Coordinates of all heavy atoms in Angstrom, one line a residue:
M1 N 0.8 -1.2 0.0 CA 0.0 0.0 0.0 C 0.9 1.2 0.0 O 1.9 1.3 0.7 CB -0.9 0.0 1.3 CG -2.3 -0.4 1.0 SD -3.4 0.0 2.3 CE -3.0 -1.3 3.5
P2 N 0.5 2.3 -0.7 CA 1.3 3.5 -0.8 C 1.2 4.3 0.6 O 0.3 4.1 1.3 CB 0.6 4.3 -1.9 CG -0.3 3.4 -2.6 CD -0.6 2.3 -1.7
V3 N 2.3 5.0 0.8 CA 2.3 5.9 2.0 C 2.2 7.3 1.5 O 2.8 7.8 0.6 CB 3.7 5.7 2.7 CG1 3.8 6.7 3.8 CG2 3.9 4.3 3.1
Y4 N 1.2 8.0 2.1 CA 0.9 9.4 1.7 C 1.3 10.3 2.9 O 1.2 10.0 4.1 CB -0.5 9.6 1.4 CG -1.0 8.9 0.2 CD1 -1.6 7.6 0.3 CD2 -0.7 9.3 -1.1 CE1 -2.0 6.9 -0.8 CE2 -1.1 8.6 -2.2 CZ -1.7 7.4 -2.1 OH -2.1 6.7 -3.2
E5 N 1.8 11.5 2.5 CA 2.2 12.5 3.5 C 1.2 13.6 3.6 O 0.7 14.1 2.6 CB 3.6 13.1 3.1 CG 4.7 12.9 4.0 CD 6.0 13.6 3.5 OE1 6.1 13.9 2.4 OE2 6.8 13.8 4.4
Y6 N 0.9 14.0 4.8 CA -0.1 15.1 5.0 C 0.5 16.1 6.0 O 1.4 15.8 6.8 CB -1.4 14.6 5.7 CG -2.2 13.7 4.8 CD1 -2.0 12.3 4.7 CD2 -3.2 14.3 4.1 CE1 -2.8 11.5 3.9 CE2 -4.0 13.5 3.2 CZ -3.8 12.1 3.2 OH -4.6 11.3 2.4
E7 N 0.1 17.4 5.9 CA 0.5 18.4 6.8 C -0.8 19.1 7.4 O -1.7 19.5 6.6 CB 1.3 19.5 6.1 CG 1.8 20.6 7.0 CD 2.6 21.6 6.4 OE1 2.7 21.7 5.1 OE2 3.3 22.4 7.1
C8 N -0.8 19.3 8.7 CA -1.9 19.9 9.3 C -1.8 21.4 9.2 O -0.7 22.0 9.5 CB -2.0 19.5 10.8 SG -3.3 20.3 11.7
K9 N -2.9 22.1 8.9 CA -2.8 23.6 8.7 C -2.8 24.3 10.1 O -2.4 25.4 10.2 CB -4.0 24.0 7.9 CG -3.8 23.6 6.4 CD -5.0 24.1 5.6 CE -4.8 23.7 4.1 NZ -5.9 24.2 3.3
E10 N -3.3 23.6 11.1 CA -3.4 24.2 12.4 C -2.2 24.0 13.3 O -1.5 24.9 13.7 CB -4.6 23.6 13.2 CG -5.9 23.8 12.5 CD -6.9 24.7 13.2 OE1 -6.7 25.0 14.4 OE2 -7.8 25.2 12.5
C11 N -1.8 22.7 13.5 CA -0.6 22.5 14.4 C 0.7 22.3 13.6 O 1.7 22.1 14.2 CB -0.9 21.2 15.2 SG -1.0 19.7 14.3
R12 N 0.6 22.3 12.3 CA 1.8 22.2 11.4 C 2.5 20.9 11.4 O 3.6 20.7 11.0 CB 2.8 23.3 11.6 CG 2.3 24.7 11.3 CD 1.9 24.7 9.9 NE 2.0 25.9 9.2 CZ 1.3 26.2 8.1 NH1 0.5 25.3 7.6 NH2 1.5 27.3 7.5
K13 N 1.9 19.9 12.0 CA 2.4 18.5 12.1 C 2.4 17.9 10.7 O 1.4 18.0 10.0 CB 1.7 17.7 13.1 CG 2.2 16.3 13.2 CD 1.4 15.4 14.1 CE 1.9 14.0 14.1 NZ 1.1 13.1 15.0
V14 N 3.5 17.3 10.3 CA 3.6 16.5 9.1 C 3.6 15.0 9.5 O 4.4 14.6 10.3 CB 4.9 16.9 8.3 CG1 5.0 16.0 7.0 CG2 4.9 18.4 7.9
F15 N 2.8 14.3 8.9 CA 2.7 12.8 9.2 C 2.4 12.0 8.0 O 2.0 12.5 6.9 CB 1.6 12.6 10.3 CG 0.2 13.1 9.9 CD1 -0.7 12.2 9.3 CD2 -0.2 14.4 10.0 CE1 -2.0 12.6 9.0 CE2 -1.4 14.8 9.7 CZ -2.3 14.0 9.1
E16 N 2.7 10.7 8.1 CA 2.5 9.8 7.0 C 1.3 8.8 7.3 O 1.2 8.5 8.5 CB 3.7 9.0 6.7 CG 4.9 9.8 6.2 CD 6.2 9.0 6.1 OE1 6.2 7.9 6.6 OE2 7.1 9.5 5.4
V17 N 0.6 8.4 6.3 CA -0.5 7.5 6.5 C -0.5 6.5 5.3 O -0.3 6.8 4.2 CB -1.9 8.2 6.4 CG1 -3.0 7.2 6.5 CG2 -2.0 9.3 7.5
Q18 N -0.6 5.2 5.7 CA -0.6 4.1 4.7 C -2.1 4.0 4.3 O -3.0 3.7 5.1 CB -0.1 2.8 5.3 CG 0.7 2.1 4.4 CD 1.3 0.8 5.0 OE1 0.8 0.4 6.0 NE2 2.3 0.3 4.4
Q19 N -2.4 4.2 3.0 CA -3.7 4.2 2.5 C -3.8 3.4 1.1 O -2.8 3.4 0.4 CB -4.3 5.6 2.2 CG -4.5 6.4 3.4 CD -5.0 7.8 3.0 OE1 -4.3 8.5 2.4 NE2 -6.3 8.0 3.4
K20 N -4.9 2.9 0.8 CA -5.1 2.3 -0.5 C -5.3 3.5 -1.5 O -5.7 4.6 -1.1 CB -6.4 1.5 -0.6 CG -6.3 0.2 0.2 CD -7.6 -0.5 0.1 CE -7.6 -1.8 1.0 NZ -8.9 -2.5 1.0
M21 N -4.9 3.2 -2.8 CA -5.1 4.3 -3.8 C -6.5 4.7 -3.9 O -6.8 5.9 -4.2 CB -4.5 3.9 -5.1 CG -3.0 3.7 -5.0 SD -2.3 3.1 -6.6 CE -2.3 4.6 -7.5
A22 N -7.5 3.8 -3.7 CA -8.9 4.1 -3.8 C -9.5 4.9 -2.6 O -10.6 5.4 -2.7 CB -9.7 2.9 -4.1
D23 N -8.7 4.9 -1.5 CA -9.2 5.6 -0.3 C -9.3 7.1 -0.5 O -8.5 7.7 -1.2 CB -8.3 5.3 0.9 CG -8.5 3.9 1.4 OD1 -9.4 3.2 1.0 OD2 -7.6 3.5 2.2
A24 N -10.3 7.7 0.1 CA -10.4 9.2 0.1 C -9.3 9.8 0.9 O -8.9 9.2 1.9 CB -11.8 9.6 0.6
P25 N -8.8 11.0 0.5 CA -7.7 11.6 1.3 C -8.3 12.0 2.6 O -9.5 12.2 2.8 CB -7.4 12.9 0.5 CG -8.1 12.7 -0.9 CD -9.1 11.7 -0.7
L26 N -7.4 12.1 3.6 CA -7.7 12.5 5.0 C -8.2 13.9 4.9 O -7.7 14.7 4.2 CB -6.6 12.3 5.9 CG -6.1 10.9 6.2 CD1 -5.0 11.0 7.3 CD2 -7.2 10.0 6.7
A27 N -9.1 14.3 5.8 CA -9.6 15.7 5.9 C -9.2 16.3 7.2 O -9.1 17.5 7.3 CB -11.1 15.7 5.8
A28 N -8.9 15.5 8.3 CA -8.6 16.1 9.6 C -7.3 15.5 10.2 O -7.0 14.3 10.0 CB -9.8 15.8 10.5
C29 N -6.6 16.3 11.0 CA -5.4 15.8 11.7 C -5.8 14.8 12.8 O -6.8 15.1 13.5 CB -4.7 17.1 12.3 SG -3.3 16.7 13.2
P30 N -5.1 13.8 12.9 CA -5.4 12.8 14.0 C -5.1 13.4 15.4 O -5.6 12.9 16.4 CB -4.5 11.6 13.7 CG -3.4 12.1 12.8 CD -4.0 13.3 12.1
D31 N -4.3 14.4 15.5 CA -3.9 15.0 16.8 C -4.9 16.1 17.2 O -5.4 16.1 18.3 CB -2.5 15.5 16.8 CG -1.5 14.4 16.8 OD1 -1.8 13.2 17.1 OD2 -0.3 14.6 16.5
C32 N -5.0 17.1 16.4 CA -5.8 18.3 16.8 C -7.1 18.4 16.0 O -7.8 19.4 16.2 CB -5.0 19.5 16.6 SG -4.7 20.0 14.9
T33 N -7.4 17.5 15.1 CA -8.6 17.5 14.2 C -8.7 18.7 13.3 O -9.7 19.0 12.7 CB -9.9 17.4 15.0 OG1 -10.1 18.5 15.8 CG2 -9.9 16.1 15.8
G34 N -7.6 19.4 13.1 CA -7.5 20.6 12.2 C -7.5 20.0 10.7 O -7.2 18.9 10.5
P35 N -7.8 20.9 9.7 CA -7.7 20.5 8.3 C -6.3 20.2 7.9 O -5.3 20.8 8.3 CB -8.3 21.7 7.6 CG -8.0 22.9 8.5 CD -8.0 22.3 9.9
V36 N -6.2 19.2 7.0 CA -4.9 18.8 6.5 C -4.8 18.9 5.0 O -5.8 19.0 4.3 CB -4.6 17.3 6.9 CG1 -4.5 17.1 8.4 CG2 -5.6 16.3 6.3
T37 N -3.6 19.0 4.5 CA -3.3 19.1 3.1 C -2.4 17.9 2.7 O -1.5 17.6 3.4 CB -2.5 20.4 2.8 OG1 -3.3 21.5 3.2 CG2 -2.2 20.5 1.3
K38 N -2.7 17.3 1.6 CA -1.9 16.2 1.1 C -0.7 16.8 0.5 O -0.8 17.7 -0.4 CB -2.7 15.3 0.1 CG -2.2 14.0 -0.2 CD -3.1 13.3 -1.1 CE -2.8 11.8 -1.2 NZ -3.8 11.1 -2.1
L39 N 0.5 16.3 0.8 CA 1.7 16.8 0.3 C 2.2 15.9 -0.9 O 1.9 14.7 -0.9 CB 2.8 16.8 1.4 CG 2.5 17.6 2.6 CD1 3.7 17.5 3.6 CD2 2.4 19.1 2.2
I40 N 2.9 16.5 -1.8 CA 3.6 15.8 -2.8 C 5.0 15.6 -2.4 O 5.7 16.6 -2.3 CB 3.5 16.5 -4.2 CG1 2.0 16.7 -4.6 CG2 4.2 15.8 -5.3 CD1 1.8 17.5 -5.8
S41 N 5.4 14.4 -2.3 CA 6.8 14.1 -1.8 C 7.5 13.3 -2.9 O 6.9 12.7 -3.8 CB 6.8 13.4 -0.5 OG 6.1 12.2 -0.6
M42 N 8.9 13.3 -2.8 CA 9.7 12.6 -3.7 C 9.5 11.1 -3.5 O 9.4 10.6 -2.3 CB 11.2 12.9 -3.4 CG 12.1 12.3 -4.5 SD 13.8 12.8 -4.2 CE 13.7 14.5 -4.6
N43 N 9.4 10.3 -4.6 CA 9.2 8.9 -4.4 C 10.6 8.2 -4.1 O 11.6 8.8 -4.3 CB 8.5 8.2 -5.6 CG 9.4 8.1 -6.8 OD1 10.6 8.0 -6.7 ND2 8.8 8.0 -8.0
S44 N 10.5 7.0 -3.7 CA 11.8 6.3 -3.3 C 12.2 5.3 -4.4 O 13.2 4.5 -4.1 CB 11.6 5.6 -2.0 OG 10.5 4.6 -2.1
F45 N 11.6 5.3 -5.5 CA 12.0 4.3 -6.6 C 13.3 4.8 -7.3 O 13.4 5.9 -7.7 CB 10.9 4.2 -7.6 CG 11.1 3.3 -8.7 CD1 11.1 1.9 -8.6 CD2 11.5 3.8 -10.0 CE1 11.3 1.1 -9.6 CE2 11.7 2.9 -11.0 CZ 11.7 1.6 -10.8
Q46 N 14.3 3.8 -7.3 CA 15.5 4.2 -8.0 C 15.9 3.0 -8.8 O 15.8 1.8 -8.4 CB 16.6 4.4 -6.9 CG 16.4 5.6 -6.1 CD 17.5 5.8 -5.1 OE1 18.5 5.0 -5.0 NE2 17.4 6.7 -4.2
L47 N 16.5 3.3 -10.0 CA 17.0 2.2 -10.9 C 18.5 2.1 -10.6 O 19.2 3.1 -10.8 CB 16.8 2.6 -12.3 CG 15.3 2.7 -12.8 CD1 15.2 3.2 -14.2 CD2 14.6 1.4 -12.6
K48 N 18.9 1.0 -10.1 CA 20.4 0.8 -9.8 C 20.8 -0.5 -10.4 O 20.0 -1.4 -10.7 CB 20.6 0.7 -8.3 CG 20.4 2.1 -7.7 CD 20.8 2.0 -6.2 CE 20.7 3.4 -5.6 NZ 21.2 3.3 -4.2
G49 N 22.1 -0.6 -10.7 CA 22.7 -1.9 -11.1 C 22.8 -1.9 -12.7 O 22.5 -0.9 -13.4
S50 N 23.3 -3.0 -13.2 CA 23.5 -3.1 -14.6 C 22.2 -3.5 -15.3 O 21.3 -4.0 -14.7 CB 24.6 -4.2 -14.9 OG 24.2 -5.4 -14.4
G51 N 22.2 -3.2 -16.6 CA 21.0 -3.6 -17.3 C 20.1 -2.5 -17.6 O 19.1 -2.6 -18.3
W52 N 20.4 -1.3 -17.2 CA 19.5 -0.1 -17.4 C 20.1 0.8 -18.4 O 19.8 2.0 -18.4 CB 19.2 0.6 -16.1 CG 18.4 -0.2 -15.1 CD1 18.9 -0.9 -14.1 CD2 17.0 -0.5 -15.2 NE1 18.0 -1.6 -13.4 CE2 16.8 -1.4 -14.1 CE3 16.0 -0.2 -16.0 CZ2 15.5 -1.9 -13.8 CZ3 14.7 -0.7 -15.7 CH2 14.5 -1.5 -14.6
Y53 N 21.0 0.3 -19.3 CA 21.8 1.2 -20.2 C 20.9 2.0 -21.1 O 21.2 3.1 -21.5 CB 22.8 0.4 -20.9 CG 22.3 -0.7 -21.8 CD1 21.8 -0.4 -23.1 CD2 22.1 -2.0 -21.4 CE1 21.3 -1.3 -23.9 CE2 21.6 -2.9 -22.2 CZ 21.2 -2.6 -23.5 OH 20.6 -3.6 -24.3
A54 N 19.7 1.4 -21.5 CA 18.9 2.1 -22.4 C 18.3 3.4 -21.8 O 18.0 4.4 -22.5 CB 17.7 1.3 -22.8
D55 N 18.3 3.5 -20.5 CA 17.8 4.7 -19.8 C 18.9 5.5 -19.2 O 18.6 6.4 -18.4 CB 16.8 4.3 -18.7 CG 15.5 3.7 -19.3 OD1 15.1 4.1 -20.4 OD2 15.0 2.7 -18.6
G56 N 20.2 5.1 -19.4 CA 21.3 5.9 -18.9 C 21.7 5.6 -17.5 O 22.3 6.4 -16.9
Y57 N 21.4 4.4 -17.0 CA 21.7 4.0 -15.7 C 22.9 3.0 -15.6 O 23.2 2.5 -14.5 CB 20.5 3.4 -15.0 CG 19.5 4.4 -14.6 CD1 18.4 4.7 -15.5 CD2 19.6 5.2 -13.5 CE1 17.5 5.6 -15.2 CE2 18.7 6.2 -13.2 CZ 17.6 6.4 -14.0 OH 16.7 7.3 -13.7
A58 N 23.5 2.7 -16.7 CA 24.6 1.7 -16.7 C 25.9 2.3 -16.5 O 26.1 3.5 -16.7 CB 24.6 0.9 -17.9
S59 N 26.9 1.5 -16.1 CA 28.3 2.0 -16.1 C 28.7 2.2 -17.5 O 28.1 1.7 -18.5 CB 29.2 1.0 -15.4 OG 29.2 -0.2 -16.1
S60 N 29.8 3.0 -17.7 CA 30.2 3.3 -19.1 C 30.7 2.0 -19.8 O 30.5 2.0 -21.0 CB 31.4 4.3 -19.0 OG 32.5 3.8 -18.3
S61 N 31.2 1.0 -19.2 CA 31.6 -0.2 -19.9 C 30.4 -0.9 -20.4 O 30.4 -1.4 -21.6 CB 32.4 -1.1 -19.0 OG 31.5 -1.6 -17.9
N62 N 29.3 -1.0 -19.7 CA 28.1 -1.7 -20.2 C 27.5 -0.9 -21.4 O 27.0 -1.4 -22.3 CB 27.0 -1.8 -19.1 CG 27.4 -2.9 -18.1 OD1 28.3 -3.7 -18.4 ND2 26.7 -2.9 -17.0
A63 N 27.4 0.4 -21.3 CA 26.9 1.3 -22.3 C 27.7 1.2 -23.6 O 27.1 1.1 -24.6 CB 26.8 2.7 -21.8
S64 N 29.0 1.2 -23.5 CA 29.8 1.2 -24.7 C 29.7 -0.2 -25.4 O 29.7 -0.3 -26.6 CB 31.3 1.5 -24.3 OG 31.8 0.5 -23.4
S65 N 29.6 -1.3 -24.6 CA 29.4 -2.6 -25.3 C 28.1 -2.7 -25.9 O 28.0 -3.3 -27.0 CB 29.6 -3.7 -24.2 OG 28.6 -3.7 -23.3
A66 N 27.1 -2.1 -25.4 CA 25.7 -2.1 -26.0 C 25.8 -1.3 -27.3 O 25.2 -1.7 -28.3 CB 24.7 -1.6 -25.1
V67 N 26.4 -0.2 -27.3 CA 26.5 0.6 -28.5 C 27.3 -0.1 -29.6 O 27.0 -0.1 -30.8 CB 27.2 2.0 -28.2 CG1 27.5 2.8 -29.5 CG2 26.3 2.8 -27.3
A68 N 28.4 -0.8 -29.2 CA 29.3 -1.5 -30.1 C 28.5 -2.7 -30.7 O 28.6 -3.0 -31.9 CB 30.5 -2.1 -29.4
A69 N 27.6 -3.3 -29.9 CA 26.8 -4.5 -30.5 C 25.8 -4.0 -31.5 O 25.5 -4.6 -32.4 CB 26.2 -5.2 -29.3
E70 N 25.3 -2.8 -31.2 CA 24.3 -2.2 -32.1 C 24.9 -1.8 -33.5 O 24.2 -1.8 -34.5 CB 23.5 -1.1 -31.5 CG 22.6 -1.5 -30.4 CD 22.0 -0.3 -29.7 OE1 22.1 0.8 -30.1 OE2 21.3 -0.5 -28.6
S71 N 26.1 -1.4 -33.5 CA 26.7 -0.8 -34.7 C 27.3 -1.9 -35.6 O 27.7 -1.5 -36.7 CB 27.8 0.2 -34.3 OG 28.8 -0.4 -33.6
K72 N 27.4 -3.1 -35.2 CA 27.9 -4.2 -36.0 C 26.9 -4.6 -37.1 O 25.7 -4.6 -36.8 CB 28.2 -5.4 -35.2 CG 29.4 -5.3 -34.3 CD 29.7 -6.6 -33.6 CE 30.8 -6.4 -32.6 NZ 31.0 -7.6 -31.8
P73 N 27.3 -4.8 -38.3 CA 26.4 -5.2 -39.3 C 25.8 -6.6 -39.0 O 26.5 -7.5 -38.4 CB 27.2 -5.3 -40.6 CG 28.6 -5.3 -40.2 CD 28.7 -4.7 -38.9
A74 N 24.6 -6.9 -39.4 CA 23.9 -8.2 -39.1 C 24.6 -9.3 -40.0 O 24.9 -9.0 -41.1 CB 22.5 -8.1 -39.4
A75 N 24.7 -10.4 -39.4 CA 25.3 -11.6 -40.1 C 24.3 -12.1 -41.1 O 23.1 -12.0 -40.9 CB 25.7 -12.7 -39.2
S76 N 24.7 -12.6 -42.2 CA 23.8 -13.2 -43.2 C 23.1 -14.4 -42.7 O 23.8 -15.2 -42.0 CB 24.7 -13.6 -44.5 OG 23.8 -14.3 -45.4
P77 N 21.8 -14.5 -42.9 CA 21.1 -15.7 -42.3 C 21.4 -16.9 -43.1 O 21.2 -18.0 -42.7 CB 19.6 -15.3 -42.5 CG 19.6 -14.3 -43.6 CD 20.9 -13.5 -43.5
C78 N 22.0 -16.8 -44.3 CA 22.2 -17.9 -45.2 C 23.7 -18.4 -45.0 O 24.6 -17.6 -45.1 CB 22.0 -17.5 -46.6 SG 22.2 -18.9 -47.8
Q79 N 23.9 -19.7 -44.8 CA 25.2 -20.2 -44.6 C 25.7 -20.8 -46.0 O 26.9 -21.2 -46.0 CB 25.2 -21.4 -43.6 CG 24.7 -20.9 -42.2 CD 25.6 -19.8 -41.6 OE1 26.8 -19.8 -41.7 NE2 25.0 -18.8 -41.0
A80 N 24.9 -20.8 -47.0 CA 25.3 -21.3 -48.3 C 26.0 -20.2 -49.1 O 26.0 -19.0 -48.6 CB 24.1 -21.8 -49.1
E81 N 26.6 -20.5 -50.2 CA 27.2 -19.4 -51.0 C 26.2 -18.4 -51.5 O 25.0 -18.8 -51.7 CB 28.0 -20.1 -52.1 CG 27.2 -20.9 -53.1 CD 28.0 -21.5 -54.2 OE1 28.6 -22.6 -53.9 OE2 28.2 -20.9 -55.2
P82 N 26.6 -17.2 -51.7 CA 25.6 -16.1 -52.2 C 25.0 -16.5 -53.5 O 25.6 -17.1 -54.4 CB 26.5 -14.9 -52.3 CG 27.7 -15.2 -51.5 CD 27.9 -16.7 -51.5
G83 N 23.8 -16.2 -53.7 CA 23.0 -16.4 -54.9 C 22.5 -17.8 -55.0 O 21.9 -18.2 -56.1
C84 N 22.6 -18.6 -54.0 CA 22.0 -20.0 -54.0 C 20.5 -19.9 -54.1 O 19.8 -19.2 -53.3 CB 22.5 -20.7 -52.8 SG 21.9 -22.4 -52.7
K85 N 19.9 -20.7 -55.0 CA 18.5 -20.6 -55.2 C 17.7 -21.3 -54.1 O 16.6 -21.2 -53.9 CB 18.1 -21.2 -56.6 CG 18.4 -22.6 -56.8 CD 18.0 -23.0 -58.2 CE 18.6 -24.4 -58.5 NZ 18.3 -24.8 -59.9
N86 N 18.4 -22.1 -53.2 CA 17.8 -22.8 -52.1 C 18.0 -22.0 -50.8 O 17.6 -22.4 -49.7 CB 18.5 -24.2 -51.9 CG 18.2 -25.1 -53.0 OD1 17.1 -25.0 -53.6 ND2 19.1 -26.0 -53.4
C87 N 18.5 -20.8 -50.9 CA 18.8 -20.0 -49.7 C 17.5 -19.3 -49.2 O 16.8 -18.7 -50.0 CB 19.8 -18.8 -50.1 SG 20.1 -17.7 -48.7
P88 N 17.2 -19.5 -47.9 CA 15.9 -18.9 -47.4 C 15.9 -17.3 -47.5 O 14.9 -16.7 -47.7 CB 15.9 -19.3 -45.9 CG 17.0 -20.3 -45.7 CD 17.9 -20.2 -46.9
A89 N 17.1 -16.7 -47.4 CA 17.2 -15.3 -47.5 C 16.8 -14.8 -48.9 O 16.2 -13.8 -49.1 CB 18.6 -14.8 -47.1
A90 N 17.2 -15.6 -49.9 CA 16.9 -15.2 -51.3 C 15.4 -15.3 -51.6 O 14.8 -14.6 -52.3 CB 17.7 -16.1 -52.3
A91 N 14.8 -16.3 -51.0 CA 13.3 -16.5 -51.2 C 12.5 -15.4 -50.6 O 11.4 -15.1 -51.1 CB 12.9 -17.9 -50.5
T92 N 13.0 -14.8 -49.5 CA 12.2 -13.7 -48.9 C 12.6 -12.3 -49.5 O 12.1 -11.3 -49.0 CB 12.5 -13.7 -47.4 OG1 13.8 -13.5 -47.1 CG2 11.9 -14.9 -46.7
G93 N 13.6 -12.3 -50.3 CA 13.9 -11.0 -51.0 C 14.9 -10.2 -50.1 O 15.0 -9.0 -50.3
R94 N 15.7 -10.8 -49.2 CA 16.6 -10.1 -48.4 C 17.9 -9.9 -49.2 O 18.5 -10.5 -49.9 CB 16.9 -10.8 -47.1 CG 15.8 -10.8 -46.2 CD 16.2 -11.5 -44.9 NE 14.9 -11.7 -44.2 CZ 14.9 -12.3 -43.0 NH1 16.0 -12.8 -42.5 NH2 13.8 -12.5 -42.4

């Protein structure tokens, strides 16, 4: 369940409440029953480790190997000599 942060307008207390996303926002402070405002806080989700190179989260060695792999020309799918009429690549027009 998500954790939401609220601030009381009367006593200025900032507190967290675990609520379902479908639950209505709180309207009153649990301490003084004053009106509260829902705060927007920074989330705690972070992408760490290898494998996030597409989004810029990899070390430079992982990112450079991914770029090198993308820049190599594709190998021919046909292992026979070029122009072979039994070649699957020739049948598809590649």
Side-chain angles (χ1 to χ4, degrees):
M1 256 193 288
V3 175
Y4 295 100
E5 241 181 340
Y6 290 90
E7 180 180 16
C8 178
K9 292 182 181 182
E10 302 248 340
C11 68
R12 296 303 212 200
K13 178 182 177 183
V14 175
F15 58 96
E16 295 177 344
V17 178
Q18 220 178 18
Q19 294 179 292
K20 293 180 183 176
M21 292 178 78
D23 289 348
L26 294 184
C29 176
D31 290 341
C32 73
T33 67
V36 295
T37 304
K38 194 174 194 180
L39 301 176
I40 298 174
S41 56
M42 187 178 288
N43 76 24
S44 61
F45 179 75
Q46 295 179 4
L47 298 174
K48 290 186 176 183
S50 62
W52 296 100
Y53 61 87
D55 296 324
Y57 287 95
S59 64
S60 60
S61 63
N62 288 346
S64 61
S65 64
V67 171
E70 290 176 8
S71 62
K72 291 181 184 177
S76 172
C78 182
Q79 300 300 319
E81 60 184 85
C84 178
K85 61 182 170 184
N86 295 326
C87 177
T92 60
R94 289 184 192 175

